[in-house]
Amino acid sequence: MSEKNETSTRIELIKGDITQLSVDAIVNAANESLRTGGGVCGAIHSAAGPELEKECLTLGGCKTGDAKITKGYKLPAKWVIHAVGPIWHGGDRREDELLAGCYRNSLKLAEKHNIKTIAFPSISTGIYGFPIERAVKIAIREVKNFLEENTSVEKVAFVCFSKRDYNHYIEVLYNN
Ligand code: AR6
């Protein structure tokens, strides 16, 4: 099996609710203050329980493009990696680079904590308004690049909440 194919088998696409997944870590599309919010962040905080926000508030916030890790509390996932995606301003405020940083820094944390299975939502593409097609290309590129260099993380899942998002991932993952 070629290296390229081996990397592809370590990527999975799931349509559903990330809070329900029994993986080692789920990634949260967080904000710089690491407080609970709407979207996937609100869903993760309500499923994990109030202990999650308590721990988040001890971390001193998180810069856009970076990620921090906490326990998962009542979630099936052992860890939550809080990645802060950029707010879309039209594309000339380093949004692409900052979004790539979210994936890279989350995966670095996963490696450091011996996380074998990790699931990402589509960071920045909801409330933060990043165009989905553009975000999906960045997400897949960064995950593939990481998996080609790294063997400690076994599986990476992209979790889509809507059929429309799911179709965008299918397009980039399998039609290239
Ligand atoms: N499982 C998987 N994906 C989900 C779920 C879920 N349960 N719920 C929503 N999504 P968003 P952002 C998808 O808005 O754009 C918060 O207030 C959703 O359909 O959650 O990075 C934070 O605190 C979309 O595709 O995150 C920040 O302030 C994707 O998750 C801000 O929103 C991301 O949408 C972050 O905005």
Side-chain angles (χ1 to χ4, degrees), residues 20 22 45 60 72 78 87 98 104 123 152-153 162:
Q20 304 299 309
S22 295
H45 277 274
K78 182 175 177 201
I87 299 172
L98 292 165
R104 275 204 295 275
I123 300 169
S152 81
V153 175
S162 71

Side-chain angles (χ1 to χ4, degrees), residues 20 26 28-30 36 100 108 132 154 158 161 164-165 174:
Q20 304 299 309
I26 61 171
N28 181 18
T36 186
K108 270 191 213 157
I132 181 79
E154 291 168 4
F158 291 111
F161 211 43
R164 188 188 72 114
D165 290 356
Y174 305 118

